[in-house]
Every structure is written in C-alpha cells, then in structure tokens.
Amino acid sequence: MTSPPTLFGAARRHLRLLLAWAVLGTLMAVGIAFLIPKQWPATMLFQVGQIGSAGSLLTDPNNVVQRIKFPGFIDQVLQAEQLPLEASLDARSAMIRKTLAASIAKGGNLLEMRVLGRSPEEAKENLLAAFQVLQAEHEKLLKPTVTKLEKNLADAKAALQKMEDERSAILEPIKKFNRDGTIERKFSESILLASMLKSSESEIRVFREQINNLDEQLSPYRTFNTKAVAPAYVPQHAVYPKKSIAAVIGFFLGLLLSGLYVLARDKELRSTIAKTFQEQT
C-alpha cells in the first residue's frame, strides 16, 4: 500500500522549476537595478550663526529645519540653480523638491542638511546651492547688528582719541610748570590740572573697556554667519538602487510567481495542500 503524498514530496517534484524561476527573478531584478538612474546623497553639518559674547543665535534651529522644508525655500534654491520650478518639467528639480531636508544633530548644537543627486557632482551642487540660500537669508539677520556694533566701536575709538588728545593738552601745562619751577606759584592751577588729568584717565579706561568689549563681540569666534563645520560629504557609491536588495526581492518574487504557476498546473499539489490544512484544523 503506497503512502499518501506529502506536501514536501509534492513540492519537491517542481524544485528545479522553482529554483530556475528564483534565479531568473534575481537576474532580472539586478538587471533592472543597473538600468534605474543612480542617486547619490550629499550631506553637510552646519552651525547656526550667532551674535556677541553671549552666543545669541541668529534664529532657532527648529525654525531653520522648518524653513528648509518650506516650498518657498526650495523655490529659491531652484532659482539659484536656474532650474524649472515645476517638478514635472525637470527630473533634477523633482529630486530636490523630494529629498531636500534638514534635521538637528544629536546634542542640538549642529544641524544636518541633505539632498540627493543623479551624480556625486550634482548632489554636491544641489546641497551647496541650498546652503548658500540659507546663508544669504541669515546674513540679512546678522548685518544690522554687526553694523550697529561696528558703529559703536568706531564712536568709542573716536571718543577715546579725543580723550587722549585732551589728556595730552592737560599734561603739557603740568610739564611746563615742573620745567619752569613755577609749580609753587601756581599751586591752585596745578591742582585743577591734576584733577582734570585724573578724571580724563578714568574716562579713558571706560572707553578702553568699551572698545575691548565691542572687539570681543565682533570677533569671528563670537559673531558669525551660519557656517559649515565640515565640507559637504558625498559617498563614493550610489545609495539607490541597492543591487543586493533588488536581488533578494527578485529571488523571492521569482519564487512566488513560479509557486503560483506550479499550484495552478499541479492538481495533486493543490489536493495535498487542501488535505494538509484540513488535518491541521
């Protein structure tokens, strides 16, 4: 008496066909992956600009992230690259609209901007164009404060020069009194000059402290526009399409299609599967 067919035994008869279809699916998927246009990512870490020794940021980093996502910002990037604004008219414009993004890096001190391109050069150009648009916007926020600080510094230096000139004018009569030996005869006048000299020196110290403070605030380490902390990075190999992922998908898709074909043609296999499910329920 022959034993009833098992599910494994019924499927084993078609093993060669299943494997052939799986291999064919793998080869086709990898071939398609070679034909699909490749994409490279470009990324950049940057720091939001700040003003003064207190480290006040030009704008909140979260606002920067949302600004980069805004369609109007992307329009400016496309205009800077002289690309059509309509994504349907140009593949590069469509890619920039779809992939340009930013996020706050771990720790919150730095931000990351990223975008894709159809070549390493294009990806880098897209990224730099977007970053330059952002820098130009932040320069407008920075310029009024820098102009004000520079004016205050110029005024302080002019006032200091004036005070030093007045101090020299006060010192000259005192030197003359000492040189001529007339200090005793003009004691009251010399006291007045000494008092004026002391007051002048006090004011000079104030202006020098003010100048030092303004110089520190205007230092490029204290006041600066939004800047990259590292050059734009583009990997050597494309990130899309992944041939390994395509191979796996093609393998299982070929296996699935061959399985459905075998199931449709093999009545015994269908009967065995039905009986197997009946026994389990």
Side-chain angles (χ1 to χ4, degrees):
M1 182 178 179
T2 59
S3 58
T6 63
L7 179 60
F8 176 74
R12 188 171 58 181
R13 298 195 309 272
H14 305 287
L15 185 59
R16 288 185 179 180
L17 178 63
L18 294 173
L19 290 177
W21 277 59
V23 172
L24 180 61
T26 301
L27 294 176
M28 290 181 64
V30 172
I32 293 172
F34 272 104
L35 297 176
I36 295 175
K38 297 179 179 62
Q39 297 177 8
W40 280 262
T43 57
M44 176 190 288
L45 283 176
F46 66 95
Q47 182 179 2
V48 175
Q50 67 178 40
I51 300 172
S53 55
S56 301
L57 297 179
L58 291 175
T59 183
D60 185 88
N62 289 299
N63 293 341
V64 176
V65 172
Q66 296 304 317
R67 173 60 180 151
I68 293 172
K69 293 179 182 179
F70 189 64
F73 180 83
I74 299 177
D75 286 346
Q76 290 179 260
V77 175
L78 296 177
Q79 289 171 348
E81 293 202 82
Q82 298 182 345
L83 295 172
L85 297 183
E86 291 294 331
S88 59
L89 299 178
D90 186 80
R92 184 173 178 180
S93 297
M95 187 169 293
I96 293 173
R97 284 199 179 278
K98 184 178 180 181
T99 64
L100 181 60
S103 60
I104 298 176
K106 288 184 179 180
N109 295 325
L110 301 176
L111 287 85
E112 179 183 291
M113 183 185 291
R114 56 193 174 273
V115 70
L116 292 178
R118 296 167 297 177
S119 68
E121 296 76 18
E122 181 179 292
K124 188 174 182 179
E125 289 173 5
N126 293 343
L127 183 66
L128 293 179
F131 186 65
Q132 287 167 5
V133 170
L134 185 68
Q135 277 188 315
E137 288 188 353
H138 288 188
E139 177 68 24
K140 293 178 182 178
L141 299 176
L142 178 66
K143 189 174 182 179
T145 301
V146 171
T147 301
K148 182 180 178 181
L149 290 173
E150 288 175 343
K151 183 180 183 304
N152 291 342
L153 178 61
D155 291 344
K157 286 182 176 180
L160 175 63
Q161 185 62 50
K162 181 179 179 182
M163 293 301 301
E164 288 179 340
D165 293 342
E166 291 177 355
R167 182 175 181 275
S168 298
I170 295 170
L171 278 173
E172 188 59 34
I174 293 178
K175 289 179 181 178
K176 186 175 184 301
F177 291 155
N178 290 335
R179 190 170 55 248
D180 297 343
T182 58
I183 189 69
E184 293 83 1
R185 292 192 301 271
K186 295 191 176 182
F187 181 75
S188 60
E189 187 174 348
S190 65
I191 290 294
L192 177 61
L193 290 173
S195 175
M196 293 172 62
L197 181 63
K198 184 176 181 181
S199 175
S200 174
E201 288 176 346
S202 176
E203 291 182 9
I204 286 174
R205 282 196 300 271
V206 170
F207 281 116
R208 282 177 176 167
E209 289 176 2
Q210 183 179 356
I211 290 171
N212 290 336
N213 180 55
L214 290 169
D215 275 332
E216 182 181 2
Q217 291 191 62
L218 285 168
S219 165
Y221 297 103
R222 303 290 187 182
T223 298
F224 53 84
N225 192 14
T226 296
K227 60 183 180 180
V229 299
Y233 171 72
V234 182
Q236 183 178 358
H237 301 290
V239 295
Y240 179 84
K242 289 283 189 181
K243 297 180 182 64
S244 57
I245 296 177
V248 172
I249 294 174
F251 178 85
F252 285 105
L253 186 59
L255 204 60
L256 175 63
L257 293 176
S258 61
L260 293 174
Y261 174 79
V262 167
L263 191 61
R265 297 293 297 270
D266 193 330
K267 186 181 296 185
E268 181 183 341
L269 180 59
R270 293 200 303 272
S271 176
T272 304
I273 292 175
K275 289 179 180 179
T276 303
F277 277 106
Q278 288 175 1
E279 291 173 359
Q280 290 179 352
T281 55

